[in-house]
Amino acid sequence: MLKDIITDRIGSIIYVVGSLVRGLSSQTFSEKQFGITPEQYLILLLIIENEGVYQRQICEITLKDRANVARIVEILLQKELITKISDSNGRRIFKIIATEKGKALIKNIEHCDMELREIITKDITQEELEITRHTLDKIKHNVIDRVKLQI
């Protein structure tokens, strides 16, 4: 019988669970026809919660590379969900803020987001969630300085 390395290794378990959650989110966003992906939703939500955030800060918070964040920001700009405001320094640095259209879309998606969280955390106690969060934070701390990210 084949040994199931997916269930024996924490990295594999995290990878598989992450893939399943991303898949469920993508499938749900597509079915609901929100017009944005879960990844775009996450960044739009981050922009709303951090009004005037810089693109570089988005990279640092999400651990996404500049090219990926630039692509998502451009899509959100084209959809008129965000806008850029020149920084007072006069350089080519912009603060990013959500438009009213972007804020309305987030409000429209919030209920679905809550439903997805309920599905993902079904039969898991608040204590178990806190332990999981704490454990994943420790794993992140153990790994983050060893990964060469192009942020």
Side-chain angles (χ1 to χ4, degrees):
M1 178 174 234
L2 290 172
K3 185 173 181 184
D4 191 356
I5 65 166
I6 301 299
T7 59
D8 289 348
R9 299 179 183 188
I10 190 67
S12 297
I13 294 168
I14 292 169
Y15 179 81
V16 168
V17 171
S19 295
L20 289 169
V21 170
R22 277 189 307 279
L24 176 62
S25 298
S26 294
Q27 176 183 309
T28 303
F29 273 53
S30 179
E31 289 169 356
K32 302 271 186 186
Q33 299 179 349
F34 290 131
I36 63 174
T37 65
E39 187 176 39
Q40 293 163 3
Y41 167 75
L42 174 68
I43 289 180
L44 180 56
L45 187 60
L46 189 151
I47 291 167
I48 288 172
E49 292 179 356
N50 300 277
E51 183 107 352
V53 67
Y54 296 101
Q55 198 163 308
R56 173 101 173 151
Q57 291 172 308
I58 296 170
C59 295
E60 291 168 358
I61 293 167
T62 61
L63 301 177
K64 293 185 180 302
D65 62 76
R66 288 183 186 183
N68 197 0
V69 170
R71 179 183 54 78
I72 293 169
V73 165
E74 184 58 34
I75 291 167
L76 296 175
L77 279 166
Q78 289 174 0
K79 293 176 183 270
E80 300 176 347
L81 300 173
I82 62 171
T83 189
K84 289 182 174 182
I85 298 174
S86 286
D87 190 2
S88 61
N89 295 336
R91 299 182 308 181
R92 292 180 50 194
I93 298 175
F94 300 92
K95 293 181 177 181
I96 303 171
I97 62 169
T99 62
E100 290 305 314
K101 182 178 177 181
K103 292 174 184 177
L105 180 60
I106 287 296
K107 285 216 178 286
N108 187 35
I109 297 175
E110 281 177 343
H111 181 69
C112 177
D113 187 24
M114 293 303 295
E115 288 176 356
L116 283 169
R117 284 191 227 172
E118 287 176 19
I119 291 168
I120 293 165
T121 60
K122 181 182 175 209
D123 298 327
I124 301 173
T125 67
Q126 192 61 38
E127 181 183 3
E128 289 171 322
L129 284 174
E130 287 303 318
I131 291 168
T132 302
R133 241 184 234 110
H134 181 71
T135 304
L136 289 172
D137 280 344
K138 281 184 169 183
I139 292 170
K140 177 183 169 187
H141 177 76
N142 292 342
V143 174
I144 197 160
D145 291 335
R146 294 174 180 255
V147 177
K148 292 176 179 75
L149 298 171
Q150 299 294 322
I151 295 177

